[in-house]
Amino acid sequence: MLALAILVYNIPFVHDRLAWRLNDLRNSVVHFFNPPQEALFAPSGVVGPTLEPTLRPTRTATPAGAIATPTPTFEPLPASAQLENVNFVTQQGRWNYCGPSTLAMALNYWGWNGDRDDIGEVIKPGENNPGMDFVQRGEKDKNVMPYEMEYFVDDYTELRALTRVGGDVELVKRMVANGFPVVIEKGYYEADYRGIVDWLGHYLFVTGYDDARQAFVVQDTWDKNHPGENVDSPYAEFIEGWRSFNFLFIVVYPAEREVEVLNLLGPWADDEWANRRALEIAEGERASLTGLDQYYAWFNTGSSHVALFDYVDAANAYDYAFQLYNALDDETYNRPYRMMWYQTGPYWAYYYSFRYQAVIDVANTTLSTWPDSEESLYWRGLARAGLGETDNAIADFQRSVYLNPNFGPGLAMLQQLGATP
């Protein structure tokens, strides 16, 4: 009977329908005995628990409060817009596949003939285990970074991709109204096995908007419980989810239309301006918001400082963000313990502030909730190397490239240390 059950389970259409349910059940059992939301971040050398860090001015001749440079004059936008020839791609049947599936839609819109697995084999190849099929190998890789998606577009297609932070509703509407759909990364909320709202990261593909309904029209690859094609995402809800990723967006476009894209972006065409814009937003929101949203605002402050190479200021902001995180009441909302699965800004800040133990502390907490994060293993390896723990560093780098054989940073460090993958 057991052998028959295993055979039936491995029939592709049965496996596709049951695998995620069994994974949810397994996670529920593990989380019951070891709740990940109870894992706290305590990077060494943080400021006092009741003190708010005083951030030094950034290294610029332009004050942060006066970054609004003259912008182009744009034609008034129509009250609604909906792009045609959008082929919906689901992430179902694959593990944590919103990145490849969303990017496939963005590329297909411009005539690219590949599919989500062509993308996944490059940026989400899964474990280096030839004995597993492609779907099984990808289970442990829970995230694709925006830079990986941009890398795929620029290196594996004839199209181009541009990533910026600090976006807003009007900018996304302007891009869509002029024929350029937009990928955004946002927080996604769902009830866990206890009925408590839980947080995870997600990509959406924005292909329309309607001011009368006060909503964007999006393609949502996560359609387990609802149809994901042409879903309304109300502006207010869109902004709330977008905040946890510093209002990041990606535009995919034909190379010959780059000037048009840059003109439509206006000041966002300048990466530094966009980073300062994101910092300005975060500084305003951290003073006006409370609870989870205030935590996101302080985290975004750190991320924007990292993008501007102000690593000490970034580390101070992350110190305070983690203090806010640890103080969150998790009886109503789980702490967003997956935050470091998707964003690595604190590692940059602490490492380049020479706070190697802080890198290790944050990595250890992250790995306690997800032991297979190649990015966290990589940064812990860097910090260990900085502390002279070469053997431990090599072990972390080796594990990172086992989990993702295409993970260039880990491969480069192993080569630098004279070690094999």
Side-chain angles (χ1 to χ4, degrees):
M1 292 290 290
L2 178 61
L4 179 60
I6 293 172
L7 286 173
V8 172
Y9 174 74
N10 282 287
I11 297 173
F13 75 88
V14 176
H15 184 272
D16 287 349
R17 287 162 175 76
L18 292 182
W20 66 266
R21 296 181 186 276
L22 292 176
N23 188 64
D24 280 356
L25 177 60
R26 180 182 62 195
N27 286 340
S28 296
V29 173
V30 172
H31 290 178
F32 178 81
F33 292 102
N34 185 27
Q37 67 272 13
E38 292 184 6
L40 303 180
F41 291 93
S44 60
V46 299
V47 297
T50 60
L51 299 178
E52 186 170 307
T54 301
L55 301 182
R56 300 191 311 275
T58 56
R59 295 190 300 272
T60 174
T62 305
I67 63 173
T69 57
T71 58
T73 301
F74 297 103
E75 294 293 325
L77 294 175
S80 65
Q82 179 62 54
L83 301 179
E84 304 295 333
N85 302 318
V86 176
N87 297 317
F88 179 71
V89 178
T90 178
Q91 72 184 72
Q92 298 304 307
R94 300 288 184 271
W95 293 103
N96 309 297
Y97 227 63
C98 71
S101 299
T102 303
L103 185 58
M105 286 190 280
L107 292 168
N108 292 159
Y109 175 80
W110 295 109
W112 182 70
N113 293 320
D115 61 28
R116 61 182 186 169
D117 286 339
D118 294 321
I119 299 169
E121 287 175 357
V122 175
I123 63 176
K124 196 179 183 300
E127 296 177 67
N128 185 16
N129 187 336
M132 294 182 176
D133 63 26
F134 179 70
V135 176
Q136 290 174 308
R137 291 200 310 269
E139 178 181 356
K140 291 183 178 179
D141 189 349
K142 300 185 184 299
N143 175 53
V144 170
M145 296 286 184
Y147 79 84
E148 294 176 295
M149 295 170 66
E150 185 174 349
Y151 154 75
F152 181 86
V153 176
D154 290 344
D155 285 19
Y156 286 83
T157 78
E158 298 299 317
L159 299 165
R160 293 290 178 266
L162 179 147
T163 303
R164 293 288 187 268
V165 293
D168 62 26
V169 167
E170 289 303 306
L171 174 63
V172 175
K173 288 167 57 177
R174 184 164 70 242
M175 300 307 297
V176 171
N178 284 277
F180 294 93
V182 177
V183 174
I184 71 144
E185 192 169 19
K186 59 165 283 185
Y188 183 87
Y189 295 88
E190 186 174 78
D192 69 5
Y193 65 96
R194 300 171 301 168
I196 296 178
V197 175
D198 207 0
W199 180 95
L200 46 81
H202 192 49
Y203 289 104
L204 288 181
F205 189 44
V206 186
T207 58
Y209 68 88
D210 189 327
D211 286 341
R213 301 198 304 271
Q214 286 291 289
F216 285 111
V217 179
V218 303
Q219 312 303 316
D220 187 345
T221 65
W222 180 241
D223 59 354
K224 181 176 72 172
N225 298 316
H226 57 80
E229 188 172 3
N230 296 323
V231 177
D232 273 8
S233 180
Y235 293 152
E237 179 184 296
F238 186 94
I239 292 170
E240 185 174 354
W242 202 12
R243 174 178 295 115
S244 51
F245 284 91
N246 211 14
F247 305 101
L248 179 145
F249 63 94
I250 304 171
V251 181
V252 175
Y253 57 91
E256 64 272 15
R257 298 185 67 177
E258 184 164 89
V259 172
E260 183 181 355
V261 169
L262 296 178
N263 286 337
L264 287 169
L265 288 173
W268 277 272
D270 182 339
D271 192 32
E272 182 176 347
W273 186 95
N275 292 329
R276 295 196 182 284
R277 168 65 175 166
L279 177 59
E280 182 183 59
I281 294 171
E283 288 177 333
E285 290 191 333
R286 75 189 193 208
S288 62
L289 300 176
T290 60
L292 266 174
D293 287 334
Q294 187 183 47
Y295 159 69
Y296 294 137
W298 272 100
F299 196 98
N300 291 341
T301 298
S303 299
S304 297
H305 276 298
V306 165
L308 294 165
F309 308 105
D310 298 322
Y311 295 118
V312 174
D313 287 347
N316 289 340
Y318 286 129
D319 283 343
Y320 192 66
F322 286 135
Q323 290 177 41
L324 293 175
Y325 173 94
N326 294 343
L328 288 171
D329 173 14
D330 68 343
E331 292 184 4
T332 305
Y333 288 91
N334 283 351
R335 294 186 183 95
Y337 63 87
R338 295 181 178 93
M339 194 78 166
M340 291 296 299
W341 297 13
Y342 307 104
Q343 303 188 59
T344 58
Y347 294 139
W348 290 82
Y350 295 135
Y351 182 80
Y352 287 108
S353 298
F354 304 103
R355 289 174 57 183
Y356 298 141
Q357 188 57 50
V359 174
I360 295 171
D361 293 339
V362 173
N364 285 342
T365 299
T366 303
L367 292 166
S368 74
T369 65
W370 173 29
D372 301 310
S373 166
E374 69 263 33
E375 289 86 7
S376 292
L377 288 162
Y378 168 76
W379 281 101
R380 189 174 70 176
L382 283 181
R384 284 174 159 177
L387 293 174
E389 301 175 14
T390 305
D391 290 343
N392 287 334
I394 289 173
D396 279 343
F397 297 138
Q398 288 173 330
R399 180 64 179 169
S400 75
V401 301
Y402 169 79
L403 293 165
N404 182 349
N406 295 338
F407 186 52
L411 291 168
M413 285 308 302
L414 287 172
Q415 181 179 20
Q416 182 174 323
L417 293 172
T420 57

